Amino acid sequence: MIDLQQAIPILIKRLQALDQGECIELCSYKRDRCLLLTPLEGGTVLVVERGFEEQRFEVEPGKLKKLLKTLVRREFPRSTKLRLYELGPCDPNAPTLRKVI
């Protein structure tokens, strides 16, 4: 569990440490909405939004912070704590097999 105010800097720092094909998932407390991030070839980052809206973004690292700020506001409007999972090698197209309580 991480604080909402710390989410974006923590995501960017952990994303830099990942290899290509590994994923990070940021979920709401109830795990019904999430953002999935994975680095791609050429230094771009794939961001998959699963929640209020279902969208995919491929962004440059310089534009990632602005996109994350927008997505966090949209997907987690009333959250104060978020769940952060490092999934290791994963397929961003496959649904995450997390149990929703």
Side-chain angles (χ1 to χ4, degrees):
M1 298 287 289
I2 61 172
D3 190 42
L4 179 68
Q5 303 298 326
Q6 304 287 324
I8 294 174
I10 289 172
L11 271 175
I12 291 172
K13 185 176 179 180
R14 292 212 181 156
L15 192 62
Q16 292 171 350
L18 290 181
D19 294 329
Q20 181 181 340
E22 294 183 333
C23 299
I24 293 179
E25 188 175 44
L26 184 68
C27 299
S28 65
Y29 180 77
K30 291 173 31 177
R31 293 180 240 161
D32 58 345
R33 296 180 305 276
C34 69
L35 299 175
L36 184 76
L37 292 90
T38 185
L40 299 175
E41 292 180 21
T44 60
V45 178
L46 176 67
V47 180
V48 180
E49 177 184 14
R50 297 178 183 148
F52 291 123
E53 295 187 23
E54 304 280 330
Q55 294 186 33
R56 298 170 62 91
F57 304 94
E58 192 170 325
V59 296
E60 301 289 325
K63 298 180 181 181
L64 181 63
K65 187 173 181 179
K66 184 175 180 178
L67 175 66
L68 286 175
K69 197 173 192 180
T70 303
L71 295 178
V72 164
R73 271 195 227 130
R74 179 170 48 206
E75 291 298 329
F76 314 116
R78 292 174 300 278
S79 298
T80 57
K81 295 284 186 183
L82 301 173
R83 297 178 188 267
L84 182 67
Y85 299 104
E86 290 189 21
L87 303 177
C90 71
D91 180 14
N93 300 319
T96 309
L97 301 175
R98 296 228 179 272
K99 183 179 177 183
V100 177
I101 299 173

